[in-house]
Amino acid sequence: MRTRSNYKANASTMLSILSPSQCEEIFLAAEEVLERTGVTFHDDEALEILKKAGCYVDGIRVRIPSYLVDRALRTVPHRVTLCNSRTGSRDVLLEGHNAYFGTGSDTPFFYDPFTGERKRSTKESVGWACKVIDALPNLDFVMSLGIVQDVPLLISDRHQFEVQVLNTGKPIVTTAHDIYGFADIIEMCEIIAGGEEELRKNPFMTLYAEPISPLQHAWEAASKLILAAKKALPVVYTPCVMAGGTVPATMAGVLVNGLAESLSGLVLHQNTREGAPFIMGGVFTIMDMGTTIFSYGSPEFNLLMSALADMAHYLKLPMFGTAGCTDSCIPDEQAAIEAAISIAMTAMSGPNLNHDVGYVEYGSTASLELLTIANDIIGMARRLVRGIRVDEDTLAVDLIDKVGPGGHFLAEDHTFKHFKTESWFPSIINRQRYELWQAAGSKTLTEVANEKVKDIILNYEPEPLPKDVQKKIRAVVERAENKLNKAV
């Protein structure tokens, strides 16, 4: 038997932008911002909680001593689990470098897969998106991929959650207009889970909320953060910052400002209820000075995402990331390039809950074709992350000797044993010989993706919720509609 000493193996590929010393420097700078400059909270209950905790409160301005940040980092869970709403299986483990992928939420437009037209998103289009996500194996969680705009807008968040949960069992990251919409969504989740305690033990929904850069927490965001903590339900709190616009133009300055916003939200959250689950987010990018857009395809966007993942690992916080999106206005070659780079870098750097797959037009429009192409890109990225296993069996020295010069390995048991696990197989990416591809219609990747999308919408049926549960969810939505009608 052969033995080796001091042998080290890479079980996966690795990507890191910041060293531990750089992470510490950025973290200390964020603490200095919170102590010296502070943040604003536009919510009376938040101000009361923070003052009681030991913050310096002057009107709506709150300065946070560093010991409170350190204490919040000690009490917050270092891992969060999200479940399947149908089976209860704990499918998404937000810990370490685990990377999961899902869609984004509130795009005002979508591309109709049947007509190709760019339209305003509706309850039907969100239902289509959720069916497609449910059917694609490399998509792990769901965001709506559209704003429901064909219902009363003040309660569209209830309709949006209803159509999501009816069309997928995968974990849902949802938005809510305010604390009242969020409370109704929680009630729907408790109906599905079988009660408040059951939902807390096996959550299948997490809220998405965000501060306003630079360094502001609106009433809507702060009050939802407090409610999530009181309920001990997971919450994503994610600054969306633009270098040179809402935060400094330097990449390090972006990280300091964005981290200060996240940590101030964490201090409020943990002082509301210690041990409540919190997921640090960050959609950090540049404001393109040529167009003023919030860029979803720039190299700085990917660089910052991987650097923020380093910060999350340094702080031992689960992280909400971004990938699979593009600035291109349509699902074209640019879209594929930008989506592929962001997915590959995200998979290798290890933020945990990565959204916005399927976004085109810098987050304004949803494309189910790009989403379906990205399903294959995620598969490729996951193969990259698995790296290369090196041991006696995979080195195959005896097999190479047996086959010898000029032989082949096709008929060998070793090949049959390994080729399905060593090689990745695409779903729609083309590997056909030219003549076969031509005979099949010479279709582009986008055309093939469109055919798959339409087939899923027309023929795929997600596992339904029980009829009585569907009725109870509908009753929550109708109650909100009745309240709105009485108020008008």
Side-chain angles (χ1 to χ4, degrees):
M1 178 184 292
R2 182 173 58 185
T3 57
R4 290 193 182 97
S5 64
N6 297 302
Y7 182 79
K8 296 180 180 177
N10 293 332
S12 71
T13 52
M14 296 179 288
L15 174 64
S16 181
I17 306 297
L18 301 172
S19 70
S21 295
Q22 289 175 305
C23 289
E24 181 183 33
E25 195 167 10
I26 290 167
F27 171 61
L28 293 175
E31 286 198 316
E32 173 64 9
V33 168
L34 292 175
E35 277 195 354
R36 188 203 306 181
T37 309
V39 297
T40 58
F41 278 91
H42 298 261
D43 178 72
D44 290 340
E45 186 177 9
L47 292 168
E48 189 64 31
I49 291 169
L50 291 166
K51 186 175 183 179
K52 187 177 178 182
C55 294
Y56 304 110
V57 178
D58 180 11
I60 60 170
R61 190 75 164 263
V62 178
R63 292 177 172 82
I64 303 174
S66 57
Y67 78 90
L68 289 178
V69 176
D70 297 339
R71 190 169 74 191
L73 288 169
R74 287 196 298 273
T75 60
V76 68
H78 300 310
R79 60 190 302 274
V80 174
T81 301
L82 296 175
C83 301
N84 185 294
S85 64
R86 306 299 196 267
T87 66
S89 57
R90 298 163 70 86
D91 292 342
V92 175
L93 307 177
L94 307 178
E95 60 187 12
H97 286 66
N98 293 351
Y100 298 92
F101 293 88
T103 45
S105 59
D106 298 338
T107 58
F109 302 101
F110 81 107
Y111 279 115
D112 187 320
F114 296 98
T115 68
E117 294 176 85
R118 177 177 175 270
K119 299 178 175 176
R120 288 203 170 273
S121 50
T122 63
K123 198 164 184 177
E124 180 182 57
S125 75
V126 171
W128 287 351
C130 293
K131 284 181 71 172
V132 173
I133 301 162
D134 198 72
L136 295 176
N138 287 318
L139 275 296
D140 306 296
F141 68 94
V142 170
M143 293 187 80
S144 65
L145 210 53
I147 305 171
V148 170
Q149 295 169 85
D150 54 345
V151 300
L153 294 182
L154 290 176
I155 58 163
S156 64
D157 48 357
R158 284 78 157 182
H159 286 274
Q160 202 158 295
F161 185 78
E162 178 191 31
V163 73
Q164 288 179 88
V165 81
L166 291 178
N167 284 283
T168 183
K170 292 182 178 179
I172 296 173
V173 181
T174 196
T175 56
H177 296 329
D178 51 34
I179 191 173
Y180 308 111
F182 185 35
D184 282 347
I185 290 170
I186 292 173
E187 183 179 345
M188 287 189 252
C189 293
E190 290 173 348
I191 290 168
I192 295 167
E196 181 176 354
E197 185 65 24
E198 290 304 312
L199 179 62
R200 189 175 298 144
K201 285 194 295 187
N202 295 301
F204 59 85
M205 176 277 295
T206 178
L207 176 76
Y208 171 106
E210 59 183 57
I212 299 172
S213 299
L215 304 173
Q216 303 170 90
H217 302 269
W219 168 78
E220 290 86 352
S223 57
K224 287 185 288 186
L225 198 56
I226 291 170
L227 178 57
K230 287 178 178 176
K231 286 282 190 176
L233 294 173
V235 60
V236 172
Y237 204 59
T238 181
C240 300
V241 304
M242 293 194 296
T246 58
V247 293
T250 53
M251 299 299 103
V254 172
L255 291 165
V256 170
N257 196 107
L259 187 61
E261 293 175 8
S262 292
L263 292 175
S264 51
L266 175 68
V267 170
L268 170 62
H269 185 261
Q270 289 300 295
N271 278 285
T272 302
R273 179 172 182 154
E274 286 189 357
F278 181 93
I279 303 162
M280 183 180 83
V283 186
F284 294 0
T285 188
I286 59 167
M287 183 177 77
D288 182 87
M289 294 299 180
T291 61
T292 71
I293 68 161
F294 182 96
S295 176
Y296 276 81
S298 66
E300 296 82 9
F301 170 84
N302 297 312
L303 190 65
L304 286 164
M305 189 53 51
S306 294
L308 189 61
D310 292 336
M311 290 303 309
H313 299 143
Y314 175 79
L315 298 172
K316 293 184 171 54
L317 287 174
M319 181 183 157
F320 183 72
T322 310
C325 41
T326 178
D327 292 331
S328 175
C329 293
I330 58 173
D332 60 359
E333 293 85 350
Q334 177 188 338
I337 291 167
E338 293 176 352
I341 290 174
S342 65
I343 288 171
M345 286 190 67
T346 297
M348 287 190 278
S349 56
N352 305 122
L353 195 64
N354 301 294
H355 78 312
D356 285 355
V357 179
Y359 270 13
V360 298
E361 197 190 343
Y362 41 87
S364 298
T365 302
S367 166
L368 297 182
E369 287 79 11
L370 178 59
L371 176 69
T372 305
I373 293 169
N375 178 65
D376 262 12
I377 299 172
I378 295 167
M380 296 173 77
R382 284 180 164 152
R383 178 61 191 93
L384 291 172
V385 169
R386 279 200 289 122
I388 296 175
R389 183 163 67 91
V390 179
D391 57 28
E392 188 172 348
D393 184 33
T394 61
L395 287 169
V397 173
D398 290 341
L399 178 64
I400 294 169
D401 181 62
K402 175 190 170 189
V403 172
H408 68 78
F409 297 85
L410 266 178
E412 296 297 327
D413 291 341
H414 188 271
T415 303
F416 286 107
K417 176 183 175 185
H418 288 292
F419 84 95
K420 288 185 179 177
T421 54
E422 288 283 299
S423 303
W424 171 77
F425 295 90
S427 171
I428 61 170
I429 284 177
N430 179 46
R431 288 179 176 173
Q432 285 186 326
R433 296 181 184 278
Y434 181 83
E435 292 76 12
L436 293 175
W437 170 76
Q438 188 179 45
S442 307
K443 296 170 188 169
T444 66
L445 181 59
T446 304
E447 290 171 335
V448 175
N450 176 261
E451 288 180 354
K452 182 161 185 170
V453 166
K454 289 188 288 192
D455 180 62
I456 291 172
I457 292 172
L458 294 173
N459 299 308
Y460 175 79
E461 289 299 331
E463 184 177 342
L465 287 169
K467 293 290 184 186
D468 61 323
V469 172
Q470 293 184 37
K471 286 182 180 176
K472 291 176 182 176
I473 292 172
R474 183 96 279 273
V476 175
V477 177
E478 290 174 351
R479 185 185 66 201
E481 286 183 336
N482 292 334
K483 282 185 182 177
L484 179 64
N485 292 333
K486 289 178 181 176
V488 172

